[in-house]
Amino acid sequence: MKTSIASITIFLILAASFTSCNKQESSMTKQSFGKTPDGTEVFLYTLRNKNGMEARITNYGGIVVSLMVKDRSGNPSDVVLGFDSLSSYIKDTPYFGALIGRYGNRIGKGEFQLGGVKYTLAVNNGANHLHGGLKGFDKVVWSVDDKASVPGETLVLTYVSRDGEEGYPGNLSVRVAYSVTSNNELKIEYSASTDKATVVNLTHHSYFNLAGAGSGSILDHELFIDAARFTPVDSGLIPTGELRNVGGTPMDFTTQTAIGARINDSYEQLQKGGGYDHNWVLNKPFGTLGLAARAYEKTSGRIMEVLTTEPGLQFYSGNFLNGTHVGKGAVKYQHRSGFCLETQHYPDSPNKPDFPTTVLEPGKTYTSTTVYRFSVK
Ligand code: BGC
């Protein structure tokens, strides 16, 4: 009798601790991130691998809110800029950590022609259209595909962009899978389909600082970009159509160079961009996943490699940051305190017949994969 009471007690204790573990597990992988002004609750999902790399992502804008990565001594830091609260993201953000669409980067004058029809898009960047318009994919609430997601590992987000949204033709169904892999990668797999010919160019807009978000300037980070050419721009940052060799210019990152080494050179393209804000024409074959860039921060030892299937990479050195955004931990993000490596097709492709096409036809599937892989030296 004694023995059976003891074993029942042990069984109950074990059962209770198992349930509480599960509860803890689920509250650790999904928690409320607040409500949008129209009352929609959005969530924060935590993805983590066995090495302790951890991403926290909200389904508002598909934003990566934090990304914890270990340095060479094994100490984790958050390497992406962002805010502590949903309301700050809603109020004013320079696209911190967001998913960008329907078209990442600029479309000149917010106009393009497709199938003999002229489409007029929302204009939100001087005379041009930027990052999907006034309410791009960075400002919508994405649905979470619970069946396809793997708690703690992969978060699958979906969104249907309606025909005419921000001026684009066609109902576009978009799916984005974020994963934290056992190889210390943040992997992003995009796909989309449409019911009418449209243009699509999806990307991700994290601002990285490998020494830790809010720790200061990124000018000492060393950067390698595997690209022999880039797309020079006009004063509105619209490509002129030229693919220019980087050789002999401050745009040459084919050998690893500090971001700040030449950023203030009197090179007209740097003056137009206020620093680096250009698209590099990647050497790797378009359509296959391969290395596009590598960034190294020597005090932490952190290395970030960017692999992609895309033909282009926008390197933006955070030139428009000016201390007005108060980020996580009440830190003001100063000029060039984060940099973006946005994988994509070249800007203004819908108006540049010689650039790889961004047109998506009904019956076809748009796919794109990008990996941010972390290691230390
Ligand atoms: C662009 C910058 C722009 C920034 C917005 C980048 O992708 O290249 O010109 O200012 O996004 O925060």
Side-chain angles (χ1 to χ4, degrees), residues 94-95 105-106 125 130-131 205 207 237 277 314 316 320 340 342:
Y95 305 93
N105 219 315
R106 293 174 174 81
N125 187 249
L130 174 68
H131 293 336
H205 211 290
Y207 287 65
L237 298 180
D277 197 353
Q314 183 84 6
Y316 168 56
F320 294 111
C340 304
E342 306 156 48

